[in-house]
Every structure is written in structure tokens, then in C-alpha cells.
Amino acid sequence: MILGYFEDGTNLVTLAMNGWGPEEPQWWLNLRARPEARAQLADGTNWQVLDRRAAGAERARLCDR
């Protein structure tokens, strides 16, 4: 699976998009159910990740990026 992402300090930020469909993507629902995961980036590096949803000022700042 290929996802768009960017690094924000020590955080890996993704956008939960399902093309232009109205449903939440299955990968996002799976991550919400099991928030501890490993992400392998295009350069081959691996990140241990813990899912959390950005909110408020943090969400606005990330969306501006």
C-alpha cells in the first residue's frame, strides 16, 4: 500500500483519504482499531508508529503544510 506522508519533527503524518470516495479508507479503520504499527518508508527506513488523530491548532498547522 502506498500512502502520502510527510515528517513533522519526530512524527510521521498521513492523510486518511479514500480517493474521492465518501467512505473512510479501510487502512485507516484498521489503524484506528490497532494503533500500534510499523511503517516502511520509500527509502526503506522503518518507523514504529502509534496512531492518533490531530485536532485543533495542531490539525490546522498540519493542514497548512
Side-chain angles (χ1 to χ4, degrees):
M1 171 183 322
I2 299 172
L3 301 175
Y5 66 88
F6 62 92
E7 295 177 31
D8 182 58
T10 60
N11 294 316
L12 187 64
V13 179
T14 63
L15 302 173
M17 297 177 64
N18 191 17
W20 297 110
E23 306 86 22
E24 292 184 291
Q26 191 63 48
W27 68 265
W28 171 252
L29 299 174
N30 290 340
L31 189 58
R32 299 296 299 166
R34 296 187 63 176
E36 293 182 21
R38 183 177 59 88
Q40 182 176 359
L41 305 186
D43 66 3
T45 60
N46 290 293
W47 287 46
Q48 286 301 122
V49 296
L50 178 63
D51 169 62
R52 69 177 180 81
R53 191 180 297 231
E58 179 188 39
R59 181 182 171 98
R61 181 181 62 79
L62 293 171
C63 287
D64 284 345
R65 289 197 58 198

